[in-house]
């Protein structure tokens, strides 16, 4: 039995201030925050048929907004070096997900801390990396965050390039599952 319903006619009155306040803290730009909230409402309208009533209307809109914020950072950071994390946004489509390229700082690197535009996502990513097996986490960080080349990593760990990419793939899969559980 569905306990929550959806009424887009009330969204602006009920949720616009809350969604804006949620967004402005994460993007620190009034116009961008307003645009992201508008995009969230539009995406909500387009995907109303997917609302299952399992979460509140506000929680559902926040989950859409989080994806919009991620897309915003992915777009502005797409040409810079980042960790890549595979996230399955829509489990009901043929698509396997979208690439999220987000700046992830090494917590031991004081200079990188100031470069994290999305601290909440960075914290969630580091938390999830911490849950990976030690070797997998180290190899993932070396390749995707620290930018080591394949040959260097393979030589250090006495593995083949194919083995390296299997490890990276498994790490991405585990990170995606962890982020969907703990961040979305």
């Amino acid at each position: 039995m569905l306990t929550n319903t959806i009424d887009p006619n009330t969204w602006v009155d009920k949720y616009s201030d809350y969604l804006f306040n949620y967004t402005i803290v994460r993007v620190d730009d009034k116009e961008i925050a307003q645009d992201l909230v508008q995009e969230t409402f539009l995406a909500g309208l387009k995907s109303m048929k997917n609302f299952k009533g399992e979460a509140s209307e506000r929680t559902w809109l926040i989950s859409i907004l989080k994806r919009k914020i991620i897309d915003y950072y992915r777009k502005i950071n797409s040409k810079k070096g980042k960790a890549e994390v595979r996230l399955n946004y829509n489990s009901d489509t043929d698509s396997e997900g979208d690439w999220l390229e987000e700046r992830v700082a090494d917590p031991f690197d004081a200079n990188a801390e100031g470069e994290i535009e999305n601290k909440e996502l960075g914290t969630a990513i580091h938390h999830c990396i911490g849950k990976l097996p030690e070797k997998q986490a180290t190899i993932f960080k070396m390749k995707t965050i620290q930018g080591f080349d394949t040959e260097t990593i393979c030589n250090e760990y006495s593995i083949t390039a194919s083995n390296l990419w299997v490890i990276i793939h498994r790490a991405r899969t585990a990170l995606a599952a962890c982020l969907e559980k703990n961040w979305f």
Side-chain angles (χ1 to χ4, degrees), residues 49-81:
K49 65 184 177 297
N50 297 329
F51 182 75
K52 297 175 183 161
E54 296 169 352
S56 71
E57 192 175 47
R58 184 174 93 167
T59 301
W60 182 69
L61 289 169
I62 283 291
S63 70
I64 295 170
L65 179 58
K66 284 181 178 180
R67 291 178 180 100
K68 295 296 177 187
I69 293 168
I70 288 170
D71 288 344
Y72 164 74
Y73 279 109
R74 181 183 62 189
K75 181 178 177 183
I76 66 171
N77 290 318
S78 64
K79 293 188 171 128
K80 300 174 187 172

Side-chain angles (χ1 to χ4, degrees), residues 17-126:
D17 288 341
Y18 179 82
L19 295 175
F20 176 79
N21 289 333
Y22 182 92
T23 308
I24 194 70
V25 170
R26 287 155 179 83
V27 298
D28 199 29
D29 184 301
K30 181 181 176 186
E31 288 182 21
I32 292 170
Q34 289 171 334
D35 289 346
L36 291 171
V37 171
Q38 288 177 0
E39 289 176 24
T40 298
F41 287 146
L42 182 59
L45 285 172
K46 289 180 180 178
S47 63
M48 280 177 42
K49 65 184 177 297
N50 297 329
F51 182 75
K52 297 175 183 161
E54 296 169 352
S56 71
E57 192 175 47
R58 184 174 93 167
T59 301
W60 182 69
L61 289 169
I62 283 291
S63 70
I64 295 170
L65 179 58
K66 284 181 178 180
R67 291 178 180 100
K68 295 296 177 187
I69 293 168
I70 288 170
D71 288 344
Y72 164 74
Y73 279 109
R74 181 183 62 189
K75 181 178 177 183
I76 66 171
N77 290 318
S78 64
K79 293 188 171 128
K80 300 174 187 172
K82 286 6 125 257
E84 298 173 326
V85 179
R86 184 89 176 194
L87 293 180
N88 292 319
Y89 293 149
N90 301 314
S91 58
D92 60 342
T93 65
D94 293 335
S95 163
E96 286 187 318
D98 298 316
W99 281 102
L100 164 67
E101 292 176 317
E102 186 54 65
R103 194 180 299 236
V104 179
D106 182 340
F108 302 107
D109 181 359
N111 294 332
E113 286 179 7
E115 295 181 18
I116 301 175
E117 283 98 355
N118 190 333
K119 292 178 184 175
E120 182 179 273
L121 179 59
T123 300
I125 290 172
H126 280 294

